[in-house]
Amino acid sequence: MLIASIGDIQDRITNSGVMAVGAVGYAAIGGVINDDALNAGIITTDELGAYLEAKELVLNHDYAIATTAEQMFMQEHAANMNSLDAAVDNLTAATAVVMTAVEVSSTAAEADTKPEQVELQGMLETDAYSLDSAEVNEYNEAVAAVETFAQQAGAFMAAANNDELTATVDSYAAQGNYMVGSYTAITYTQSVDEFVITWDDSGFGTGFQGYLTPDMKNAAEIYAAGEYINEYGAMPTQ
């Protein structure tokens, strides 16, 4: 994300450098450049925002090498929480687009006269009040991203708090003469409740399964928690 955002800004810098030379050249011989001719060299608000967001993610990530499984899991938790923050922002933006489009429902419900029906048609012909597949896909992808990062962040926090799991991982790493934080890959799959951790370049990971079953939350529990937070501003006490 950081590399991509920097790349976009670098493209703007390249454009501005080349186009500034061209603009000076034309100015010297009486060429009149068009309004906004150098816009390709301007860094947009969105590009700056993407860079600042990516920069914040990097600054907030803990790159210290973990010496225990608990530290390792907490680092992964923090990284996924950073990604979750960005995913929630994306969902908020995507939701705003969809909400604007579905606001037409009140007009549709009341459109029982010809003038009102003509007004409804006019609204549906505008981009703001009409959904397309790209907008729906963006919204659905944003929901899926929130689910993914929330699940992963929660799993790593639960793992860090699970003494049996952390002790097992620490013991395995010690027996294999690995520093816990030197892992090359770590994944969690909720459907089988399994962490897979790889400590070398072989590509073969070690699985740790069945530790988080008591921490699983279904859709009804998630919805209830959301309603509670919306009303009281915090999670209910456990």
Side-chain angles (χ1 to χ4, degrees), residues 159-171 208-211:
N161 292 332
N162 189 304
D163 293 339
E164 182 182 1
L165 173 56
T166 55
T168 300
V169 174
D170 285 337
S171 175
F208 301 88
Q209 188 174 20
Y211 288 90

Side-chain angles (χ1 to χ4, degrees), residues 101-121:
V102 299
E103 283 175 3
V104 75
S105 63
S106 59
T107 302
E110 299 170 359
D112 50 10
T113 67
K114 290 293 184 182
E116 290 171 339
Q117 291 164 354
V118 170
E119 179 186 1
L120 175 61
Q121 286 178 328

